Amino acid sequence: MFEFTADKCLIELDVNGENKNAIVRPSDLLLDVLRNQFGLTGAKPGCKNGDCGSCTIIMDGWPVKSCLVLAVEAVGHTILTVEGLAGTSPVQKAFVDYHAFQCGYCTSGFLMVCHSLWMMKSDADEEEMEDWLQSNICRCTSYKEIRKAMESVLLQNPQKS
Amino acid sequence: MIPIHFEYYRPQTVRQAVETYIRLLQEKKKPLYYGGGSEIISMSRAGDIHPGAVIDIKEIPECMVFEEQNERLVIGAAVTLRQIRDSRMFPLLGTVSKHIADHTNQCRITLGGNLCGNIIYREMSSPLLLSDAQVLFFGPDGVRRALFTDAFQLRMLMNPGELLMQIHISKQYLKSPYRYIKKTANEKIDYPLMSIAALYDQKSWRVAFSGLCASPFRSLKIEEILNQRHLSPLQRAEMVSELVPGQALSDYRGSSQYRLFMLKNTLADMMEEWEHV
Protein backbone atom coordinates (compact mmCIF):
# COMPACT_ATOMS: atom_id res chain seq x y z
CA MET A 1 0.00 0.00 0.00
CA PHE A 2 1.24 3.45 -0.88
CA GLU A 3 1.29 5.61 2.25
CA PHE A 4 2.08 9.27 2.55
CA THR A 5 1.90 10.37 6.16
CA ALA A 6 4.84 12.77 6.48
CA ASP A 7 4.42 16.53 6.33
CA LYS A 8 6.29 16.56 3.04
CA CYS A 9 7.48 13.92 0.63
CA LEU A 10 9.36 13.63 -2.66
CA ILE A 11 7.21 12.39 -5.53
CA GLU A 12 7.98 11.78 -9.18
CA LEU A 13 5.48 12.84 -11.84
CA ASP A 14 5.41 12.08 -15.55
CA VAL A 15 4.71 15.51 -17.04
CA ASN A 16 4.88 16.20 -20.76
CA GLY A 17 6.98 13.08 -21.28
CA GLU A 18 9.56 13.96 -18.63
CA ASN A 19 9.95 12.60 -15.13
CA LYS A 20 9.91 15.50 -12.69
CA ASN A 21 10.47 15.51 -8.94
CA ALA A 22 8.48 17.62 -6.53
CA ILE A 23 8.41 17.97 -2.76
CA VAL A 24 4.76 18.09 -1.77
CA ARG A 25 2.34 17.82 1.13
CA PRO A 26 -0.28 15.07 0.74
CA SER A 27 -2.95 17.75 0.43
CA ASP A 28 -1.14 19.78 -2.26
CA LEU A 29 -3.11 20.25 -5.46
CA LEU A 30 -1.72 19.23 -8.81
CA LEU A 31 -2.45 22.72 -10.17
CA ASP A 32 -0.21 24.34 -7.55
CA VAL A 33 2.60 21.85 -8.04
CA LEU A 34 2.57 22.26 -11.82
CA ARG A 35 2.73 26.03 -11.52
CA ASN A 36 4.87 26.62 -8.44
CA GLN A 37 7.35 23.75 -8.61
CA PHE A 38 7.62 23.02 -12.32
CA GLY A 39 7.00 26.53 -13.61
CA LEU A 40 4.29 25.19 -15.92
CA THR A 41 1.98 28.17 -15.67
CA GLY A 42 -0.18 27.28 -18.66
CA ALA A 43 -2.75 25.70 -16.34
CA LYS A 44 -4.46 28.75 -14.89
CA PRO A 45 -6.05 29.15 -11.47
CA GLY A 46 -9.58 30.43 -11.94
CA CYS A 47 -12.44 29.42 -9.67
CA LYS A 48 -10.31 26.71 -7.98
CA ASN A 49 -13.55 24.87 -7.48
CA GLY A 50 -13.84 22.76 -10.63
CA ASP A 51 -16.29 25.08 -12.31
CA CYS A 52 -14.39 27.22 -14.82
CA GLY A 53 -11.98 24.77 -16.46
CA SER A 54 -9.08 27.19 -16.84
CA CYS A 55 -6.79 24.73 -15.00
CA THR A 56 -7.64 21.80 -17.28
CA ILE A 57 -4.82 19.39 -18.08
CA ILE A 58 -4.88 15.91 -19.61
CA MET A 59 -4.32 12.88 -17.42
CA ASP A 60 -3.98 9.51 -19.13
CA GLY A 61 -5.64 10.99 -22.20
CA TRP A 62 -8.72 12.46 -20.50
CA PRO A 63 -9.28 16.07 -19.46
CA VAL A 64 -9.25 16.79 -15.73
CA LYS A 65 -9.38 19.98 -13.71
CA SER A 66 -6.06 20.13 -11.92
CA CYS A 67 -7.53 22.16 -9.06
CA LEU A 68 -9.49 19.04 -8.11
CA VAL A 69 -6.62 16.55 -8.22
CA LEU A 70 -4.10 15.91 -5.46
CA ALA A 71 -0.54 15.99 -6.76
CA VAL A 72 0.15 12.69 -5.04
CA GLU A 73 -2.74 11.10 -6.95
CA ALA A 74 -0.98 11.84 -10.21
CA VAL A 75 1.95 9.55 -9.37
CA GLY A 76 1.97 6.74 -11.93
CA HIS A 77 -0.18 8.63 -14.43
CA THR A 78 0.82 10.59 -17.53
CA ILE A 79 0.21 14.32 -17.34
CA LEU A 80 0.02 16.59 -20.36
CA THR A 81 -0.14 20.37 -19.96
CA VAL A 82 -0.54 23.01 -22.64
CA GLU A 83 3.25 23.42 -22.67
CA GLY A 84 3.47 19.76 -23.72
CA LEU A 85 1.45 20.43 -26.84
CA ALA A 86 4.34 22.61 -28.01
CA GLY A 87 2.47 23.85 -31.04
CA THR A 88 2.02 20.35 -32.44
CA SER A 89 -1.71 19.96 -31.88
CA PRO A 90 -4.00 20.80 -34.81
CA VAL A 91 -6.27 22.35 -32.23
CA GLN A 92 -3.73 25.10 -31.55
CA LYS A 93 -3.54 26.03 -35.20
CA ALA A 94 -7.32 26.02 -35.48
CA PHE A 95 -7.61 28.38 -32.51
CA VAL A 96 -5.36 30.83 -34.32
CA ASP A 97 -7.13 30.39 -37.66
CA TYR A 98 -10.57 30.95 -36.13
CA HIS A 99 -9.56 33.68 -33.65
CA ALA A 100 -10.83 31.49 -30.86
CA PHE A 101 -9.66 33.66 -27.97
CA GLN A 102 -9.70 37.21 -26.73
CA CYS A 103 -7.95 37.80 -23.39
CA GLY A 104 -6.52 34.27 -23.50
CA TYR A 105 -6.87 33.36 -19.84
CA CYS A 106 -9.19 30.43 -20.51
CA THR A 107 -7.41 29.38 -23.71
CA SER A 108 -5.02 26.79 -22.32
CA GLY A 109 -7.88 25.04 -20.55
CA PHE A 110 -9.99 25.03 -23.69
CA LEU A 111 -7.04 23.80 -25.74
CA MET A 112 -6.57 20.85 -23.43
CA VAL A 113 -10.24 19.86 -23.58
CA CYS A 114 -10.23 20.20 -27.36
CA HIS A 115 -6.96 18.30 -27.74
CA SER A 116 -8.29 15.47 -25.59
CA LEU A 117 -11.52 15.38 -27.60
CA TRP A 118 -9.53 15.15 -30.81
CA MET A 119 -7.36 12.38 -29.41
CA MET A 120 -10.04 10.33 -27.67
CA LYS A 121 -13.17 10.94 -29.74
CA SER A 122 -12.19 12.21 -33.16
CA ASP A 123 -15.53 10.94 -34.50
CA ALA A 124 -17.49 13.03 -32.00
CA ASP A 125 -20.77 14.44 -33.24
CA GLU A 126 -22.02 17.94 -32.52
CA GLU A 127 -23.81 16.97 -29.33
CA GLU A 128 -20.74 15.27 -27.91
CA MET A 129 -18.52 18.20 -28.84
CA GLU A 130 -20.89 20.59 -27.11
CA ASP A 131 -20.90 18.36 -24.04
CA TRP A 132 -17.12 18.49 -23.79
CA LEU A 133 -16.85 22.22 -24.45
CA GLN A 134 -19.42 23.02 -21.76
CA SER A 135 -16.83 22.06 -19.16
CA ASN A 136 -15.07 25.39 -19.63
CA ILE A 137 -16.01 29.03 -19.26
CA CYS A 138 -14.78 31.93 -21.40
CA ARG A 139 -15.69 35.27 -19.82
CA CYS A 140 -14.88 37.06 -23.08
CA THR A 141 -17.53 34.82 -24.69
CA SER A 142 -15.48 33.46 -27.57
CA TYR A 143 -17.63 30.37 -27.55
CA LYS A 144 -18.69 30.57 -31.17
CA GLU A 145 -15.13 30.86 -32.44
CA ILE A 146 -13.92 28.08 -30.14
CA ARG A 147 -16.66 25.84 -31.41
CA LYS A 148 -15.84 26.59 -35.03
CA ALA A 149 -12.17 25.87 -34.38
CA MET A 150 -13.01 22.51 -32.83
CA GLU A 151 -15.44 21.66 -35.62
CA SER A 152 -12.75 22.34 -38.19
CA VAL A 153 -10.39 19.92 -36.45
CA LEU A 154 -13.00 17.19 -36.18
CA LEU A 155 -13.83 17.62 -39.86
CA GLN A 156 -10.23 16.67 -40.65
CA ASN A 157 -11.14 13.17 -39.50
CA PRO A 158 -11.49 11.20 -42.78
CA GLN A 159 -14.57 9.42 -41.36
CA LYS A 160 -16.34 12.73 -40.83
CA SER A 161 -15.42 14.48 -44.03
CA MET B 1 -4.52 25.23 -1.90
CA ILE B 2 -5.99 23.09 0.83
CA PRO B 3 -5.06 24.78 4.11
CA ILE B 4 -4.97 21.61 6.18
CA HIS B 5 -2.68 18.61 6.38
CA PHE B 6 -4.05 15.14 5.89
CA GLU B 7 -2.46 11.77 5.37
CA TYR B 8 -2.89 9.92 2.08
CA TYR B 9 -3.21 6.15 1.70
CA ARG B 10 -3.66 4.15 -1.49
CA PRO B 11 -4.47 0.53 -0.59
CA GLN B 12 -4.43 -2.34 -3.08
CA THR B 13 -7.19 -4.42 -1.49
CA VAL B 14 -10.54 -3.75 0.16
CA ARG B 15 -9.28 -5.42 3.33
CA GLN B 16 -6.28 -3.06 3.48
CA ALA B 17 -8.63 -0.11 2.96
CA VAL B 18 -10.99 -1.10 5.74
CA GLU B 19 -8.23 -2.03 8.19
CA THR B 20 -6.55 1.30 7.52
CA TYR B 21 -9.84 3.13 8.01
CA ILE B 22 -10.52 1.40 11.34
CA ARG B 23 -6.98 2.09 12.59
CA LEU B 24 -7.18 5.76 11.60
CA LEU B 25 -10.60 6.04 13.20
CA GLN B 26 -9.18 4.68 16.44
CA GLU B 27 -6.38 7.24 16.16
CA LYS B 28 -9.10 9.93 15.83
CA LYS B 29 -7.84 11.01 12.43
CA LYS B 30 -11.29 11.36 10.88
CA PRO B 31 -10.52 9.30 7.76
CA LEU B 32 -12.54 9.47 4.56
CA TYR B 33 -12.67 7.04 1.67
CA TYR B 34 -11.55 8.93 -1.41
CA GLY B 35 -12.82 8.27 -4.94
CA GLY B 36 -12.61 11.07 -7.51
CA GLY B 37 -11.94 13.57 -4.76
CA SER B 38 -13.97 16.46 -6.22
CA GLU B 39 -16.15 16.95 -3.17
CA ILE B 40 -13.46 16.19 -0.58
CA ILE B 41 -11.03 18.63 -2.19
CA SER B 42 -13.51 21.46 -2.71
CA MET B 43 -15.00 21.11 0.78
CA SER B 44 -11.55 20.82 2.43
CA ARG B 45 -10.40 23.90 0.57
CA ALA B 46 -13.44 25.83 1.75
CA GLY B 47 -12.96 24.64 5.34
CA ASP B 48 -16.26 22.74 5.42
CA ILE B 49 -14.63 19.43 6.28
CA HIS B 50 -11.32 18.62 8.00
CA PRO B 51 -10.31 15.05 7.24
CA GLY B 52 -7.17 13.83 8.98
CA ALA B 53 -6.60 11.16 6.34
CA VAL B 54 -7.95 10.09 2.98
CA ILE B 55 -7.95 6.52 1.69
CA ASP B 56 -7.86 6.48 -2.11
CA ILE B 57 -9.78 3.46 -3.41
CA LYS B 58 -8.87 3.81 -7.09
CA GLU B 59 -6.33 0.97 -7.12
CA ILE B 60 -8.60 -1.59 -5.52
CA PRO B 61 -9.63 -4.05 -8.27
CA GLU B 62 -13.06 -4.75 -6.78
CA CYS B 63 -13.81 -1.01 -6.80
CA MET B 64 -12.68 -0.55 -10.41
CA VAL B 65 -14.54 -3.49 -11.96
CA PHE B 66 -17.09 -2.63 -14.62
CA GLU B 67 -18.39 -5.62 -16.53
CA GLU B 68 -21.24 -8.02 -17.03
CA GLN B 69 -20.89 -11.09 -14.82
CA ASN B 70 -23.40 -13.87 -15.43
CA GLU B 71 -26.82 -12.22 -15.39
CA ARG B 72 -25.84 -8.89 -13.89
CA LEU B 73 -23.88 -5.74 -14.47
CA VAL B 74 -21.22 -5.12 -11.82
CA ILE B 75 -20.04 -1.55 -11.28
CA GLY B 76 -17.24 -0.78 -8.81
CA ALA B 77 -17.61 2.24 -6.57
CA ALA B 78 -14.57 3.94 -8.15
CA VAL B 79 -15.88 3.71 -11.73
CA THR B 80 -16.30 7.21 -13.12
CA LEU B 81 -19.44 8.78 -14.51
CA ARG B 82 -17.68 9.13 -17.86
CA GLN B 83 -17.00 5.40 -18.01
CA ILE B 84 -20.63 4.68 -17.21
CA ARG B 85 -22.00 7.02 -19.86
CA ASP B 86 -19.50 6.00 -22.53
CA SER B 87 -20.11 2.29 -21.99
CA ARG B 88 -23.86 2.54 -22.72
CA MET B 89 -24.27 -0.67 -20.71
CA PHE B 90 -27.16 0.74 -18.67
CA PRO B 91 -28.53 3.64 -20.74
CA LEU B 92 -30.64 5.15 -17.95
CA LEU B 93 -27.66 5.26 -15.60
CA GLY B 94 -25.51 6.66 -18.42
CA THR B 95 -28.07 9.36 -19.15
CA VAL B 96 -28.17 10.40 -15.50
CA SER B 97 -24.33 10.45 -15.43
CA LYS B 98 -24.34 12.76 -18.42
CA HIS B 99 -26.40 15.32 -16.52
CA ILE B 100 -24.20 15.50 -13.41
CA ALA B 101 -21.63 18.32 -13.41
CA ASP B 102 -19.75 18.76 -16.70
CA HIS B 103 -17.91 16.33 -18.95
CA THR B 104 -14.45 17.05 -17.54
CA ASN B 105 -15.68 16.55 -13.98
CA GLN B 106 -17.42 13.38 -15.07
CA CYS B 107 -13.94 12.05 -15.87
CA ARG B 108 -13.23 12.19 -12.11
CA ILE B 109 -16.52 11.86 -10.22
CA THR B 110 -17.17 8.27 -9.24
CA LEU B 111 -20.38 6.32 -8.73
CA GLY B 112 -19.49 5.75 -5.07
CA GLY B 113 -18.63 9.40 -4.56
CA ASN B 114 -21.96 10.57 -5.94
CA LEU B 115 -23.90 8.10 -3.78
CA CYS B 116 -21.97 8.64 -0.54
CA GLY B 117 -21.06 12.32 -0.75
CA ASN B 118 -22.48 15.20 1.22
CA ILE B 119 -24.20 16.90 -1.70
CA ILE B 120 -27.84 15.97 -1.26
CA TYR B 121 -28.90 15.30 -4.83
CA ARG B 122 -27.10 11.94 -5.25
CA GLU B 123 -28.73 11.60 -8.65
CA MET B 124 -27.08 8.29 -9.50
CA SER B 125 -29.30 6.70 -6.87
CA SER B 126 -32.49 7.10 -8.96
CA PRO B 127 -31.74 4.40 -11.59
CA LEU B 128 -30.54 2.08 -8.83
CA LEU B 129 -33.75 2.57 -6.83
CA LEU B 130 -35.70 1.61 -9.95
CA SER B 131 -33.73 -1.45 -11.02
CA ASP B 132 -33.76 -3.58 -7.87
CA ALA B 133 -30.00 -3.02 -7.63
CA GLN B 134 -27.95 -4.68 -4.97
CA VAL B 135 -25.11 -3.01 -3.14
CA LEU B 136 -22.02 -4.72 -1.77
CA PHE B 137 -20.21 -3.22 1.19
CA PHE B 138 -16.92 -4.41 2.59
CA GLY B 139 -16.43 -3.90 6.30
CA PRO B 140 -14.55 -5.29 9.28
CA ASP B 141 -16.69 -8.44 9.04
CA GLY B 142 -16.19 -8.90 5.31
CA VAL B 143 -18.73 -8.52 2.50
CA ARG B 144 -22.27 -7.40 3.25
CA ARG B 145 -24.89 -7.49 0.52
CA ALA B 146 -28.09 -5.44 0.63
CA LEU B 147 -30.88 -4.29 -1.62
CA PHE B 148 -30.14 -0.75 -2.72
CA THR B 149 -33.66 0.31 -1.72
CA ASP B 150 -32.93 -0.87 1.85
CA ALA B 151 -29.39 0.51 2.02
CA PHE B 152 -30.33 3.93 0.66
CA GLN B 153 -32.66 5.69 3.08
CA LEU B 154 -32.17 9.41 2.63
CA ARG B 155 -28.47 8.53 2.28
CA MET B 156 -26.31 5.41 2.16
CA LEU B 157 -26.63 3.58 5.45
CA MET B 158 -23.26 2.05 6.27
CA ASN B 159 -21.72 0.57 9.39
CA PRO B 160 -18.58 2.23 10.80
CA GLY B 161 -15.61 1.56 8.54
CA GLU B 162 -17.65 0.00 5.77
CA LEU B 163 -16.68 0.78 2.22
CA LEU B 164 -19.18 0.88 -0.64
CA MET B 165 -17.52 -1.63 -2.94
CA GLN B 166 -19.87 -2.47 -5.82
CA ILE B 167 -23.33 -2.10 -7.28
CA HIS B 168 -24.96 -5.10 -9.00
CA ILE B 169 -27.81 -4.64 -11.47
CA SER B 170 -29.80 -7.46 -12.98
CA LYS B 171 -29.45 -7.60 -16.78
CA GLN B 172 -33.22 -7.64 -17.21
CA TYR B 173 -33.33 -3.91 -16.42
CA LEU B 174 -30.40 -2.72 -18.48
CA LYS B 175 -32.23 -2.24 -21.77
CA SER B 176 -35.70 -1.41 -20.45
CA PRO B 177 -37.37 1.70 -21.90
CA TYR B 178 -36.62 4.74 -19.80
CA ARG B 179 -37.11 8.48 -19.52
CA TYR B 180 -35.03 11.03 -17.69
CA ILE B 181 -35.76 14.71 -17.25
CA LYS B 182 -33.65 17.13 -15.26
CA LYS B 183 -34.87 20.66 -14.61
CA THR B 184 -32.45 23.36 -13.51
CA ALA B 185 -33.08 26.97 -12.54
CA ASN B 186 -31.07 28.64 -15.31
CA GLU B 187 -27.95 26.89 -16.48
CA LYS B 188 -27.70 23.61 -18.33
CA ILE B 189 -25.04 22.47 -15.89
CA ASP B 190 -26.33 22.92 -12.36
CA TYR B 191 -27.76 21.04 -9.44
CA PRO B 192 -31.34 19.99 -10.15
CA LEU B 193 -34.44 21.89 -9.23
CA MET B 194 -35.84 18.46 -9.77
CA SER B 195 -35.00 15.38 -11.79
CA ILE B 196 -37.28 12.48 -12.67
CA ALA B 197 -36.02 9.07 -13.75
CA ALA B 198 -38.50 6.52 -15.07
CA LEU B 199 -37.93 2.88 -16.01
CA TYR B 200 -40.47 0.61 -17.67
CA ASP B 201 -40.76 -2.83 -16.13
CA GLN B 202 -43.05 -5.40 -17.72
CA LYS B 203 -46.31 -3.46 -17.71
CA SER B 204 -45.72 -0.42 -15.56
CA TRP B 205 -43.46 2.52 -14.99
CA ARG B 206 -41.21 2.93 -11.98
CA VAL B 207 -40.29 6.49 -11.07
CA ALA B 208 -37.68 8.09 -8.80
CA PHE B 209 -37.08 11.73 -7.97
CA SER B 210 -34.07 13.81 -6.97
CA GLY B 211 -33.86 17.45 -5.97
CA LEU B 212 -37.54 17.60 -5.06
CA CYS B 213 -37.06 16.77 -1.37
CA ALA B 214 -34.03 16.57 0.91
CA SER B 215 -33.11 13.20 -0.53
CA PRO B 216 -33.80 11.18 -3.68
CA PHE B 217 -36.76 8.85 -3.30
CA ARG B 218 -38.94 6.29 -5.02
CA SER B 219 -42.56 5.95 -3.90
CA LEU B 220 -44.72 2.92 -4.70
CA LYS B 221 -47.82 4.99 -3.91
CA ILE B 222 -46.84 7.53 -6.55
CA GLU B 223 -46.13 4.78 -9.07
CA GLU B 224 -49.53 3.25 -8.44
CA ILE B 225 -51.18 6.55 -9.37
CA LEU B 226 -48.93 7.19 -12.36
CA ASN B 227 -49.75 3.80 -13.86
CA GLN B 228 -53.54 4.28 -13.73
CA ARG B 229 -53.90 4.81 -17.42
CA HIS B 230 -57.66 5.25 -17.33
CA LEU B 231 -56.96 8.69 -15.80
CA SER B 232 -55.60 11.54 -17.87
CA PRO B 233 -51.91 12.46 -17.43
CA LEU B 234 -52.88 15.75 -15.84
CA GLN B 235 -55.28 14.09 -13.38
CA ARG B 236 -52.57 11.67 -12.32
CA ALA B 237 -49.96 14.41 -12.04
CA GLU B 238 -52.26 16.45 -9.81
CA MET B 239 -52.82 13.47 -7.51
CA VAL B 240 -49.08 12.88 -7.21
CA SER B 241 -48.47 16.35 -5.79
CA GLU B 242 -50.35 15.24 -2.68
CA LEU B 243 -48.20 12.15 -2.23
CA VAL B 244 -44.72 13.63 -2.13
CA PRO B 245 -43.14 12.02 0.96
CA GLY B 246 -41.78 15.03 2.76
CA GLN B 247 -41.42 18.75 2.39
CA ALA B 248 -40.48 19.94 -1.10
CA LEU B 249 -37.19 21.82 -1.00
CA SER B 250 -37.29 25.58 -0.93
CA ASP B 251 -34.08 27.43 -1.72
CA TYR B 252 -32.64 30.09 -4.00
CA ARG B 253 -33.05 27.78 -6.98
CA GLY B 254 -36.79 27.55 -6.48
CA SER B 255 -39.50 27.64 -3.83
CA SER B 256 -41.30 24.49 -2.74
CA GLN B 257 -44.44 25.71 -4.52
CA TYR B 258 -42.48 26.19 -7.73
CA ARG B 259 -40.95 22.73 -7.45
CA LEU B 260 -44.39 21.15 -6.97
CA PHE B 261 -45.79 23.14 -9.89
CA MET B 262 -42.92 21.92 -12.02
CA LEU B 263 -43.40 18.37 -10.80
CA LYS B 264 -47.02 18.37 -11.93
CA ASN B 265 -46.28 19.77 -15.38
CA THR B 266 -43.20 17.64 -15.99
CA LEU B 267 -44.95 14.46 -14.94
CA ALA B 268 -47.95 15.27 -17.14
CA ASP B 269 -45.65 15.81 -20.13
CA MET B 270 -43.70 12.66 -19.36
CA MET B 271 -46.85 10.57 -19.13
CA GLU B 272 -48.21 11.95 -22.41
CA GLU B 273 -45.01 10.68 -23.97
CA TRP B 274 -44.87 7.31 -22.29
CA GLU B 275 -48.47 6.41 -23.23
CA HIS B 276 -46.88 5.28 -26.49
CA VAL B 277 -44.51 2.77 -24.86
Side-chain angles (χ1 to χ4, degrees), chain A residues 105-122:
Chain A
Y105 198 81
C106 70
T107 305
S108 45
F110 266 109
L111 282 171
M112 299 316 284
V113 167
C114 292
H115 183 73
S116 177
L117 176 58
W118 175 64
M119 295 292 286
M120 306 302 279
K121 296 269 180 86
S122 62

Side-chain angles (χ1 to χ4, degrees), chain B residues 56-259:
Chain B
D56 189 341
I57 63 166
K58 292 195 290 291
E59 282 191 3
I60 298 173
E62 290 90 338
C63 296
M64 297 300 292
V65 69
F66 186 23
E67 62 189 18
E68 286 189 5
Q69 292 177 1
N70 302 321
E71 286 304 302
R72 62 204 173 167
L73 174 64
V74 177
I75 314 178
V79 170
T80 65
L81 304 191
R82 180 198 63 74
Q83 288 174 288
I84 291 170
R85 63 178 280 189
D86 283 359
S87 76
R88 302 182 185 192
M89 292 171 97
F90 184 10
L92 173 57
L93 194 63
T95 302
V96 175
S97 306
K98 184 179 166 180
H99 289 84
I100 295 172
D102 58 54
H103 178 272
T104 300
N105 281 319
Q106 288 159 15
C107 293
R108 293 280 298 170
I109 298 171
T110 61
L111 174 62
N114 182 266
L115 295 173
C116 298
N118 282 313
I119 297 170
I120 62 168
Y121 305 105
R122 303 185 185 104
E123 290 159 276
M124 294 296 274
S125 64
S126 293
L128 306 179
L129 287 169
L130 302 179
S131 58
D132 297 337
Q134 292 198 322
V135 54
L136 265 67
F137 301 103
F138 194 92
D141 299 325
V143 175
R144 179 169 71 89
R145 183 186 288 263
L147 270 177
F148 188 81
T149 44
D150 293 335
F152 189 85
Q153 301 286 331
L154 302 178
R155 59 185 304 151
M156 292 301 297
L157 301 178
M158 292 190 280
N159 298 321
E162 270 189 337
L163 166 69
L164 170 59
M165 188 169 72
Q166 290 172 353
I167 298 287
H168 292 195
I169 302 151
S170 171
K171 274 174 80 172
Q172 73 179 90
Y173 295 107
L174 300 182
K175 303 298 179 194
S176 297
Y178 69 93
R179 296 288 182 274
Y180 179 72
I181 294 178
K182 177 174 175 174
K183 298 284 187 185
T184 56
N186 292 306
E187 307 292 334
K188 221 170 176 179
I189 296 168
D190 197 359
Y191 294 120
L193 261 175
M194 182 189 63
S195 71
I196 306 177
L199 190 73
Y200 193 69
D201 175 47
Q202 312 290 341
K203 291 178 180 169
S204 63
W205 284 94
R206 300 173 170 197
V207 188
F209 304 86
S210 169
L212 184 60
C213 298
S215 172
F217 67 91
R218 175 186 172 194
S219 159
L220 298 183
K221 282 183 186 168
I222 289 179
E223 285 174 13
E224 199 179 317
I225 299 292
L226 294 179
N227 284 293
Q228 290 185 17
R229 297 194 179 201
H230 61 281
L231 299 174
S232 76
L234 192 59
Q235 280 175 315
R236 281 177 270 167
E238 278 173 347
M239 290 165 77
V240 163
S241 305
E242 309 288 317
L243 294 173
V244 173
Q247 181 72 34
L249 285 178
S250 197
D251 55 25
Y252 73 92
R253 288 191 176 86
S255 65
S256 55
Q257 294 94 325
Y258 182 59
R259 279 186 161 92

